[in-house]
Amino acid sequence: TLGEQAQVPVQITVQNLNDAPTALSLSTREIPENLVGRPVGRVSAQDPDPNDTITWTLSDNRFRIIENELWLFEALDYETEQNVRLVLTATDSGNPPLSSSLTTDLRVVNINEFAPKVSPQNFEMRSGTAAGTLVVDVDAIDNDLGDTVTYQLIGEGADKFTIDSQTGEVRLAEELDFARQSRYRFFVESTDDGFPPKSGLVQFNLFVTPVNDFLPTIQSPQNFMISENIPGGTSVGTVAAEYLDVHCLTYELFGTV
């Protein structure tokens, strides 16, 4: 005989197994230094479970995520920190909650904050110092890490000197002559290669000290006639001398009468 069959309705419930968020991403890899209180990028993640919501946590409390935007609330300083490693963790609302993480290295972009600085100086050099002699080695201080400084002479007195634009060495362009010029003033401009470039200007003073290059020459022997019994203090003549330097002359008597 044929077996008998019976049909019973069966209800099968498919339970959703929670899947962790995937495809975490951050839209930026660079952050300018000194930027604060502003969004610096966007975050995103996908969750295979359609009804799950995602919350974010960060490894660095200087950052926050607000409406899927990464905000920075404490300024970064390139001079002390050139890279920031940030771990972003996305956690879903499933049961149990599942998480995925993204580790990213953010490069801190240097902003040119400081102009090069050089302290003004005064120098003394002897008259007759030869052209090409080193006057000063200008060494600017720039507090922006990694900036390179170049130098140039500008303005008054620039033609009396030469400068190495890379090293800052200032040398005489001509021999010093106290009789011609006893003081020089010149200006050095230091410019860094930051963006945008910044410059500093400093004044230097060079004082030329005289050298006694010449001997006084008394004009041919001189004779003076005096009468007897003239009172003391009476002028009996004037000694004439030639001197090619710029110093003053003094006179002194030697010998016996």
Side-chain angles (χ1 to χ4, degrees), residues 186-205:
F186 61 96
F187 300 86
V188 174
E189 183 180 56
S190 308
T191 304
D192 64 26
D193 61 350
F195 183 81
K198 290 190 175 183
S199 298
L201 188 66
V202 64
Q203 174 183 326
F204 295 102
N205 294 298

Side-chain angles (χ1 to χ4, degrees), residues 175-193:
E175 181 180 338
L176 296 180
D177 185 351
F178 179 86
R180 183 177 64 245
Q181 188 169 349
S182 61
R183 176 189 174 186
Y184 295 86
R185 181 174 64 171
F186 61 96
F187 300 86
V188 174
E189 183 180 56
S190 308
T191 304
D192 64 26
D193 61 350

Side-chain angles (χ1 to χ4, degrees), residues 39 63 65 70 85 91 98 114 122 125 133 135-136 148 164 166-167 173-174 181 187 191 215-216 224 239 241 248 252:
F63 296 88
I65 293 178
L70 180 66
R85 174 157 290 187
T91 303
L98 296 178
F114 306 100
N122 296 327
M125 300 184 76
T133 301
V135 178
V136 59
T148 299
D164 187 309
Q166 302 301 314
T167 66
E174 60 182 26
Q181 188 169 349
F187 300 86
T191 304
L215 293 175
F224 303 102
V239 176
C248 296
E252 187 175 353

Side-chain angles (χ1 to χ4, degrees), residues 93-111:
S93 58
N95 187 19
L98 296 178
S99 300
S100 297
S101 295
L102 170 68
T103 300
T104 184
D105 289 319
L106 301 173
R107 186 173 73 90
V108 181
V109 179
N110 189 23
I111 301 299

Side-chain angles (χ1 to χ4, degrees), residues 144-188:
D144 288 302
L145 187 66
D147 277 5
T148 299
V149 178
T150 56
Y151 306 90
Q152 66 173 338
L153 292 164
I154 64 172
E156 174 190 347
D159 59 330
K160 308 298 182 182
F161 304 88
T162 64
I163 191 168
D164 187 309
S165 62
Q166 302 301 314
T167 66
E169 288 186 348
V170 178
R171 297 180 180 274
L172 295 175
E174 60 182 26
E175 181 180 338
L176 296 180
D177 185 351
F178 179 86
R180 183 177 64 245
Q181 188 169 349
S182 61
R183 176 189 174 186
Y184 295 86
R185 181 174 64 171
F186 61 96
F187 300 86
V188 174

Side-chain angles (χ1 to χ4, degrees), residues 201-224:
L201 188 66
V202 64
Q203 174 183 326
F204 295 102
N205 294 298
L206 172 61
F207 297 93
V208 183
T209 58
V211 176
N212 197 359
D213 297 319
F214 305 97
L215 293 175
T217 302
I218 297 177
Q219 297 176 359
S220 59
Q222 301 167 42
N223 299 316
F224 303 102

